[in-house]
Amino acid sequence: MPLFHRQLIAALLFACLSLAAQGQPLRIVSEAWPPYIHTENGVLRGLDYETTQIVLQRLDVEVEWQLLPWRRCLMALEQGQADGILGIFHTPEREASMLFPGEPLSQIDFVLFYAKANPHPFQHLTDLRGLKVGVSAGYWYNNRDFRESTLFTRESAPSHAANFGKLVRKRVDLVINDRRSGHFILAQTGLEEQIQHHPQVISRNPLYLGLRRNAGHDELAQRFASELRRFKQEPAYAALKARYNSPDRPRRAAQPPSKTANH
């Protein structure tokens, strides 16, 4: 087949994919991870969720949301059952199957939380020797030394809140979580007086809206990044960020998420 014909077919296929994507809601999956995305009284809330909703509404894009365990989120995107995944790290390995807009939604700092009644000093990985660290299944803690270390054991839990529950019951020695998310969950569950975090940052990572590659979302990724940058300069974004940076005690009345969010 002549090169011109192959290029024409490729262009038509891309156009069809783009039209198909525009003709139906964008399907986005994520795992509940307060305060980035979670439910309160059956309603989706969260810093990254609300930011994404506002940006996509401005782009006139309809969205269908679904909360799943993280591993199922990744599988749904891989199998074409989802168009996007909220709250994911941009890694070279993922570029083969995902598009990443040029602007991240937010930035997270993974730190180690400890029970005040059972503190474990931590400055270096060697301080974790022989300990049990609570983790979230399927999470990519973007620190290779931490991720592959054999000095300590890792134990996952069905939810972030469950990890902290295990911490106060001494079933794990430490828990790794994002600093903002960890304190938000502790405020929800009433454990903020019993748990604190070490200041050392294990890894610092931006979170993105990842879109399925080769599905006609290239232009959307560019438009999303541009509009997201614009929104971040507005007072509305500053107010949204402040609201989720300072969880208040009444949030404890909301049901903690029953599932764990990447990453």
Side-chain angles (χ1 to χ4, degrees), residues 83-238:
D83 300 301
I85 183 169
L86 184 75
I88 192 164
F89 297 155
H90 183 175
T91 66
E93 295 82 2
R94 288 170 172 164
E95 289 183 352
S97 59
M98 296 185 202
L99 294 168
F100 293 90
E103 180 71 18
L105 287 163
S106 56
Q107 179 173 281
I108 64 170
D109 290 341
F110 276 119
V111 296
L112 290 172
F113 287 81
Y114 62 92
K116 293 180 181 179
N118 189 35
H120 291 280
F122 169 73
Q123 290 186 335
H124 309 286
L125 283 182
T126 52
D127 297 328
L128 303 182
R129 189 184 305 273
L131 298 182
K132 184 181 293 184
V133 178
V135 301
S136 299
Y139 273 46
W140 177 268
Y141 300 108
N142 199 17
N143 178 323
R144 185 171 181 176
D145 291 337
F146 177 87
R147 197 169 60 246
E148 299 181 358
S149 176
T150 58
L151 293 172
F152 59 93
T153 58
R154 300 160 185 79
E155 183 171 303
S156 61
S159 72
H160 299 288
N163 252 334
F164 287 124
K166 291 167 66 174
L167 184 60
V168 296
R169 293 194 299 272
K170 298 184 180 180
R171 291 177 54 188
V172 295
D173 300 300
L174 296 162
V175 165
I176 185 170
N177 208 320
D178 167 49
R179 177 165 41 207
R180 178 194 282 132
S181 175
H183 284 288
F184 192 94
I185 295 169
L186 292 174
Q188 281 187 317
T189 55
L191 296 175
E192 67 266 49
E193 299 300 326
Q194 300 180 54
I195 296 175
Q196 188 52 271
H197 74 272
H198 288 292
Q200 289 84 350
V201 175
I202 300 295
S203 63
R204 177 171 287 123
N205 311 98
L207 287 177
Y208 290 85
L209 170 65
L211 296 169
R212 185 158 50 93
R213 189 176 287 277
N214 301 324
H217 301 313
D218 300 64
E219 182 184 355
L220 175 60
Q222 296 176 12
R223 295 171 60 217
F224 183 87
S226 297
E227 190 59 41
L228 176 57
R229 290 190 194 99
R230 188 176 296 111
F231 177 55
K232 283 184 175 182
Q233 302 303 313
E234 300 177 9
Y237 177 74

